[in-house]
Amino acid sequence: MDRLYIFDTTLRDGEQVPGCQLNTIEKIQVAKALEGLGVDVIEAGFPISSPGDFNSVVEISKAVTWPTICALTRGVQKDIDVAAEALKYAKNKRIHTGIGTSDFHIKHKFNSTQDEILERAVAAVKHAKKYVEDVEFYCEDAGRTDNVYLARVVEAVIKAGATVVNIPDTTGYCLPWQYGEKIKFLMDNVKGVHNAILSTHCHNDLGMATANTIAGVQNGARQVEVTINGIGERAGNTSLEEIAMILKCHKSMNIETQINTQKIYGISRMVSGLMNMPVQANKAVVGRNAFAHSSGIHQDGVLKNRESYEIMDPTDVGIDKNSIVLTARSGRAALKHRLSVLGVNVEGDHLDTIYEAFLKLADKKKDINDDDVLLLAGKERTEKQRIQIDYLQVTSGVGVKSVASLGLLIAGEKFEAAAVGNGPVDAAIKALKQIIKRTMTLQEFTIQAISKGSDDVGKVHMQVEHDGIVYYGFGANTDIVAASVEAYINAINQFVK
Ligand code: KIV
Ligand code: ZN
């Protein structure tokens, strides 16, 4: 079996997605879960981009033991200096530097020439080598880069000391056979290619990220860059869980990883919960319907023999169909166990706080599911916000105008307002706007029930525009009007300091 290295970029390419930003504590939680999952490399951030990113790379470096911690840079000396500083506590460290190599990037982004870009690439690798042994180089937009020029760049950076060369399909443009041919061309034509590992980094703009990644592996790439749930810029990156399960289902490929697939479901829920990014119901491997058989013919077949319609055993990805159902009668131990299966380890006072919130929710809702539990574990984040709801009362119905009265606590001081609206959410938001007198526009508003049942928790995602910037807000409550106001306030809290 050939070993394939898993490079996870959930905390860098994934976290770049608007609305998915995590604080340092949350990033450490995800990094520890990635370590438990068995990834080889964690791309922890882009240190020069912000003090927050710098600090996260420092703290993840301290918290994680065996995976390599990687920091992204542009092919610029200052970026590389800052990345090296951020990585100083990492036990195993890598600098990931690079530059655009397609004609689009060379002409329009850099107003430069192929020769000059090649020189800058080599200089960046040599500079990074002064700090770390392990240097990865990315040829941005390699998907649209001419293969002959790409081979020149790859050869030069390997000669300069790059240990890994990343061939990103930055725009998600390639067809699987084209991407596979690209990797094969490099394997066949780059002198010294065996002194480094070629890496895939595929975006999903045309829904081909996973297929392209597999084509790359079939042609010699031995590192894949992936994210949990496939999150990432625009349509996302190749999803880790898909690659791990493809290799598990297709042993004939003779490729192995160190991923403990039974931890996939837990980390998928954790990342989705922390980033407020729902997983689509029919998402391969981790979607709610991935193992749900609804048609009579399928149900009958699965009952006779699971393998009639299932190529994967749900327990292989950590879906425990016999997991204990949590209800108002469940104790702390059951809650703690469920959270740990989902990758969240809590003890002492923190567990007590979550348990109290759990009992309150269980009073309103019969069965508590995994998403509910993860929401409760993350609730502390919203409770520490500057603006909070004190009370909310809404009357609405058919043939009457909706009326809302709202009390807010702003830095501990109480404010009240009442308003009439076209519906309960409209009335509540009008009351909110009487208290928070800023120019702001609601641009997007989605309500989602987590599972089934009229007692379910409703999740609300909002985009609120203020001063030309869009802020993302999230709320979750069994009362969807309250969830909507929570989401609006969550967005406002980001610009009212
Ligand atoms: O998609 C891309 O090209 C990237 C690079 C910065 C590696 O994310
Ligand atoms: Zn990318």
Side-chain angles (χ1 to χ4, degrees):
M1 284 258 193
D2 254 14
R3 173 84 153 82
L4 179 69
Y5 295 94
I6 303 291
F7 175 115
D8 183 277
T9 183
T10 304
L11 295 173
R12 201 278 298 168
D13 222 333
E15 212 253 350
Q16 249 164 253
V17 176
C20 285
Q21 279 63 48
L22 302 179
N23 62 36
T24 303
I25 294 170
E26 292 162 340
K27 285 186 191 173
I28 292 172
Q29 191 178 329
V30 173
K32 295 290 287 172
L34 288 169
E35 179 171 36
L37 180 68
V39 307
D40 299 286
V41 185
I42 296 174
E43 189 162 46
F46 183 6
I48 197 138
S49 67
S50 71
D53 243 44
F54 180 91
N55 191 40
S56 299
V57 175
V58 172
E59 295 306 325
I60 291 169
S61 298
K62 290 182 192 163
V64 165
T65 311
W66 70 265
T68 296
I69 303 301
C70 178
L72 185 79
T73 79
R74 290 166 299 179
V76 170
Q77 289 208 354
K78 178 79 184 134
D79 282 32
I80 295 170
D81 299 338
V82 172
E85 173 67 17
L87 285 169
K88 78 172 173 225
Y89 296 104
K91 286 106 205 153
N92 304 300
K93 51 186 93 173
R94 177 183 295 177
I95 291 178
H96 188 189
T97 189
I99 199 161
T101 52
S102 67
D103 286 344
F104 298 97
H105 282 234
I106 295 175
K107 281 189 196 134
H108 305 297
K109 197 167 145 185
F110 300 114
N111 188 22
S112 184
T113 61
Q114 287 192 338
D115 288 344
E116 198 179 286
I117 290 295
L118 194 131
E119 259 175 48
R120 286 169 65 172
V122 168
V125 171
K126 286 192 172 156
H127 191 65
K129 276 300 239 197
K130 292 182 193 152
Y131 292 110
V132 292
E133 174 45 36
D134 193 2
V135 174
E136 174 167 342
F137 183 84
Y138 63 86
C139 309
E140 197 178 7
D141 204 15
R144 293 186 301 170
T145 301
D146 164 62
N147 286 349
V148 174
Y149 176 63
L150 188 61
R152 270 181 69 204
V153 177
V154 174
E155 192 166 307
V157 295
I158 293 176
K159 204 165 156 216
T163 43
V164 180
V165 187
N166 179 9
I167 311 298
D169 184 20
T170 306
T171 58
Y173 172 74
C174 287
L175 293 166
W177 66 264
Q178 288 172 328
Y179 191 75
E181 263 190 3
K182 194 173 277 293
I183 299 293
K184 182 168 167 29
F185 184 86
L186 298 174
M187 293 300 291
D188 291 345
N189 293 285
V190 169
K191 226 185 287 151
V193 72
H194 296 289
N195 298 329
I197 291 175
L198 293 189
S199 179
T200 67
H201 179 114
C202 299
H203 280 269
N204 204 29
D205 299 66
L206 292 171
M208 292 188 291
T210 297
N212 285 346
T213 298
I214 291 296
V217 172
Q218 283 175 314
N219 284 284
R222 284 297 173 266
Q223 177 181 280
V224 290
E225 306 196 1
V226 290
T227 60
I228 301 295
N229 300 334
I231 61 158
E233 283 279 4
R234 308 179 309 278
N237 290 59
T238 306
S239 70
L240 182 149
E241 59 276 8
E242 291 173 16
I243 297 298
M245 292 315 289
I246 287 169
L247 298 177
K248 198 170 181 97
C249 289
H250 290 273
K251 295 257 164 30
S252 60
M253 282 182 71
N254 257 321
I255 303 275
E256 63 178 4
T257 69
Q258 276 190 18
I259 296 296
N260 175 354
T261 61
Q262 289 184 337
K263 299 215 162 159
I264 282 177
Y265 176 69
I267 194 165
S268 160
R269 309 315 299 173
M270 178 201 276
V271 167
S272 162
L274 289 174
M275 292 192 166
N276 297 326
M277 181 60 107
V279 177
Q280 77 191 59
N282 59 339
K283 165 81 180 65
V285 183
V286 288
R288 199 167 63 236
N289 295 345
F291 295 94
H293 301 275
S294 51
S295 86
I297 296 174
H298 282 209
Q299 285 176 346
D300 181 53
V302 168
L303 288 174
K304 286 179 178 142
N305 180 344
R306 186 186 61 75
E307 286 177 49
S308 321
Y309 285 100
E310 270 184 12
I311 56 166
M312 294 173 265
D313 186 336
T315 59
D316 275 349
V317 299
I319 296 177
D320 179 2
K321 286 195 171 156
N322 303 314
S323 70
I324 310 162
V325 175
L326 295 174
T327 66
R329 284 169 304 285
S330 302
R332 267 182 190 66
L335 177 66
K336 185 173 179 215
H337 172 73
R338 198 67 219 142
L339 278 165
S340 77
V341 169
L342 295 168
V344 184
N345 293 309
V346 284
E347 302 279 350
D349 288 353
H350 191 194
L351 176 62
D352 289 347
T353 316
I354 300 173
Y355 186 64
E356 246 171 63
F358 161 79
L359 289 180
K360 279 191 199 142
L361 180 63
D363 266 351
K364 298 191 207 158
K365 189 171 186 269
K366 216 166 67 213
D367 295 338
I368 306 289
N369 62 34
D370 291 348
D371 292 284
D372 296 332
V373 167
L374 282 165
L375 275 177
L376 295 174
K379 200 133 184 93
E380 262 197 340
R381 288 188 289 164
T382 39
E383 277 168 2
K384 291 196 180 118
Q385 294 185 354
R386 179 178 156 85
I387 306 173
Q388 288 173 21
I389 303 181
D390 184 27
Y391 66 84
L392 170 67
Q393 189 180 36
V394 186
T395 49
S396 66
V398 178
V400 288
K401 282 263 185 197
S402 299
V403 184
S405 37
L406 174 69
L408 293 185
L409 291 172
I410 305 180
E413 202 182 331
K414 194 163 177 163
F415 294 83
E416 295 178 297
V420 175
N422 278 331
V425 174
D426 186 43
I429 288 176
K430 280 188 173 136
L432 173 68
K433 284 183 160 179
Q434 284 181 26
I435 304 175
I436 315 278
K437 294 190 175 68
R438 301 284 182 112
T439 334
M440 44 198 182
T441 326
L442 180 56
Q443 292 203 327
E444 214 176 291
F445 174 28
T446 51
I447 303 183
Q448 187 201 20
I450 291 173
S451 54
K452 38 193 175 266
S454 52
D455 61 352
D456 200 2
V457 173
K459 282 181 166 188
V460 174
H461 293 264
M462 276 186 182
Q463 294 183 19
V464 176
E465 192 264 339
H466 168 69
D467 251 359
I469 302 175
V470 177
Y471 297 87
Y472 291 76
F474 173 72
N477 201 300
T478 47
D479 179 326
I480 55 157
V481 184
S484 307
V485 177
E486 274 176 21
Y488 212 118
I489 290 177
N490 182 224
I492 295 173
N493 267 308
Q494 293 163 49
F495 58 84
V496 176
K497 299 283 178 216

